[in-house]
Amino acid sequence: MSYIEYVTGDYEGQDPLVDLARANGFTMQDLEENRRGRISDKQMGMLFSRALEPVKYPGMALLGWLTCCFIVKTLIPGFVLLIISILGAKGIGVMFGAVTLICLGALLIAMLKSSRYLVLLVQDLANGKSAFLDGRVSLSNEDTRGLGMDHFHGQSRRHYAYVIQNEHFTVDEAAANALPTGGRFRLYHTPKSKLMLSIEPARASGT
C-alpha cells in the first residue's frame, strides 16, 4: 500500500488537545484512564464500532448499488432493455455485473479484515490495558477508487491515518484536520488490535 506522507513542523503557542479529543472521540476522563495504562469503559463500547469500520463503506456501497440496479430494472420496461441490447449496448450489462462483483469482493475483504481486528480486540478488552507510542506524528493519505455509484461515476475515496514509529492508525477527515503542524505526541492504543484510543501532545503528559 502506497501512502503520501509528510512530517509536520513544530507547533508553537497552542494546545491542540481539545481539538484532538473532539475530532477523535475521546474525553479527558478517557485520556486519564489511558495515561494509567487502562482502556476506559466508554472506549470499550466504542472499539467494536471502530473494529467494524472497514465493513461500513463497502457494505453501504453494495447496498446502494443493488438498490440502484433494482430501480433501473423495475422502472425501465423490458422492451426498452431489449432495444438497447439490439443496438449493441450489451456492454452496459457487463459493466453493471462487474461493478457488483467489485463491491462484493471489497465487502468480503473488509469482513476478513474486521474479523481479524475483532479477534485481537477481544483479547485486548479481556486484558483491559492500553499501550502508547511517543514521537513525531505524520499524516498519511491514500486515494482509492470508490465503490458502487462512486465507482460508476469514477469518484475516489480518501483514507487518512496518523503515522507514528511506522505504525498506521486510521482516522477520519476531521481527525486528520485536527492534527497540528508538528510537535511530539503520545498516542495511546490497544496493544494487539492496534486501534487508537487517544492522543495528546507529549508535553501535556510531562514527558
Side-chain angles (χ1 to χ4, degrees):
M1 182 181 295
S2 62
Y3 285 94
I4 302 171
E5 297 187 356
Y6 60 91
V7 178
T8 56
D10 289 336
Y11 53 82
E12 297 179 357
Q14 57 179 346
D15 184 358
L17 181 55
V18 173
D19 290 337
L20 286 170
R22 182 185 303 112
N24 287 288
F26 65 89
T27 66
M28 295 301 105
Q29 290 78 15
D30 295 329
L31 178 58
E32 187 59 36
E33 286 293 299
N34 301 156
R35 287 172 177 167
R36 294 173 180 170
R38 298 194 295 261
I39 302 172
S40 74
D41 292 340
K42 175 189 172 185
Q43 289 171 328
M44 286 188 177
M46 295 176 61
L47 283 169
F48 279 105
S49 176
R50 190 167 296 177
L52 292 172
E53 192 67 34
V55 177
K56 294 178 182 177
Y57 176 70
M60 292 300 296
L62 177 61
L63 179 61
W65 177 252
L66 292 178
T67 300
C68 175
C69 292
F70 175 77
I71 291 173
V72 169
K73 187 174 179 62
T74 301
L75 295 182
I76 298 180
F79 75 89
V80 174
L81 295 176
L82 178 61
I83 292 174
I84 292 176
S85 176
I86 294 174
L87 292 176
K90 294 181 179 179
I92 294 178
V94 174
M95 181 194 67
F96 271 70
V99 173
T100 302
L101 288 176
I102 291 172
C103 290
L104 280 171
L107 179 59
L108 289 175
I109 292 172
M111 289 175 67
L112 289 173
K113 186 176 181 180
S114 283
S115 65
R116 174 181 175 275
Y117 278 137
L118 287 171
V119 169
L120 296 175
L121 179 58
V122 169
Q123 298 177 43
D124 285 330
L125 295 181
N127 189 34
K129 295 181 179 179
S130 66
F132 66 85
L133 293 169
D134 282 324
R136 295 268 180 176
V137 176
S138 62
L139 180 67
S140 72
N141 61 76
E142 179 190 24
D143 287 326
T144 58
R145 190 165 185 181
L147 300 171
M149 292 304 296
D150 288 343
H151 184 94
F152 184 78
H153 293 293
Q155 297 177 349
S156 61
R157 185 168 182 257
R158 178 158 291 187
H159 305 267
Y160 299 92
Y162 290 167
V163 185
I164 179 171
Q165 296 185 21
N166 295 321
E167 295 284 356
H168 292 72
F169 296 89
T170 301
V171 297
D172 60 19
E173 185 176 3
N177 292 334
L179 185 69
T181 55
R184 297 182 64 84
F185 293 86
R186 172 166 288 188
L187 188 150
Y188 300 90
H189 62 89
T190 52
K192 294 182 179 294
S193 53
K194 295 297 178 66
L195 297 173
M196 192 177 77
L197 297 169
S198 58
I199 182 173
E200 63 176 337
R203 64 186 179 186
S205 62
T207 60

